[in-house]
Amino acid sequence: FNEVMTLFDVLCWSKEGARLSGQWVTLSCLGGGVHGGSLASSMYREEVAEIARREDRLAEVLERMGGVRMPKGEPGYVIPVFSFLPVYVQYWRGDEEFPPQLNLLWDANTTEFLHYETVYYLMNFLLQRLVTLLQRASGDQRK
């Protein structure tokens, strides 16, 4: 569902001449009016917890997803969700004071390619795929 809805929206909504800005922003800056912190404090708590349990394999999996290492994050990678639309995945390890944190940063012009609401479908797909690949990389064949 998430993949199909995202593909449909990209095919039907992308504005003519849409291009990336090169500026990374949070979801709340895309203009949808939703404000919040990292994904760990939101509806993606379970996915972030699963990623944290397997954080030792995260860089490997992000690279297999076509990711390019970035300077910010533990690790941080830009993932090409489409050849023309990347997402910056930043993971920050937890410690005794702070829980693990996962941030997805978007190009400021993302909504030239898909509706703001569709970004949630894309996030769902990306996080589900990331968790599945982490489970496989960790030897959990049930997933």
Side-chain angles (χ1 to χ4, degrees), residues 72-135:
K72 293 185 180 178
E74 300 174 328
Y77 280 81
V78 171
I79 304 297
V81 293
F82 292 102
S83 61
F84 53 86
L85 186 63
V87 175
Y88 190 167
V89 178
Q90 286 183 342
Y91 178 77
W92 301 98
R93 291 179 183 89
D95 59 25
E96 55 279 343
E97 294 183 46
F98 300 101
Q101 184 174 334
L102 182 72
N103 298 319
L104 298 181
L105 301 177
W106 307 90
D107 186 89
N109 290 346
T110 295
T111 54
E112 290 189 12
F113 297 93
L114 62 153
H115 285 92
Y116 174 81
E117 295 81 3
T118 306
V119 174
Y120 285 94
Y121 293 131
L122 182 51
M123 283 192 313
N124 286 334
F125 169 73
L126 184 59
L127 291 173
Q128 289 169 1
R129 184 74 179 139
L130 184 55
V131 166
T132 298
L133 291 174
L134 279 167
Q135 290 168 337

Side-chain angles (χ1 to χ4, degrees), residues 4-132:
V4 171
M5 293 304 291
T6 301
L7 287 169
F8 180 74
D9 200 43
V10 165
L11 291 172
C12 296
W13 169 254
S14 289
K15 296 177 182 174
E16 190 172 329
R19 68 178 91 134
L20 299 175
S21 71
Q23 178 185 2
W24 296 109
V25 299
T26 63
L27 182 62
S28 62
C29 291
L30 288 179
V34 177
H35 301 281
S38 74
L39 294 178
S41 63
S42 69
M43 64 182 139
Y44 299 104
R45 188 169 298 144
E46 289 179 29
E47 289 85 350
V48 173
E50 184 68 18
I51 291 166
R53 283 191 284 278
R54 300 164 195 282
E55 67 184 20
D56 59 319
R57 306 301 291 261
L58 185 56
E60 169 192 336
V61 168
L62 290 169
E63 286 176 14
R64 277 197 287 161
M65 293 175 75
V68 175
R69 184 78 164 105
M70 297 298 281
K72 293 185 180 178
E74 300 174 328
Y77 280 81
V78 171
I79 304 297
V81 293
F82 292 102
S83 61
F84 53 86
L85 186 63
V87 175
Y88 190 167
V89 178
Q90 286 183 342
Y91 178 77
W92 301 98
R93 291 179 183 89
D95 59 25
E96 55 279 343
E97 294 183 46
F98 300 101
Q101 184 174 334
L102 182 72
N103 298 319
L104 298 181
L105 301 177
W106 307 90
D107 186 89
N109 290 346
T110 295
T111 54
E112 290 189 12
F113 297 93
L114 62 153
H115 285 92
Y116 174 81
E117 295 81 3
T118 306
V119 174
Y120 285 94
Y121 293 131
L122 182 51
M123 283 192 313
N124 286 334
F125 169 73
L126 184 59
L127 291 173
Q128 289 169 1
R129 184 74 179 139
L130 184 55
V131 166
T132 298

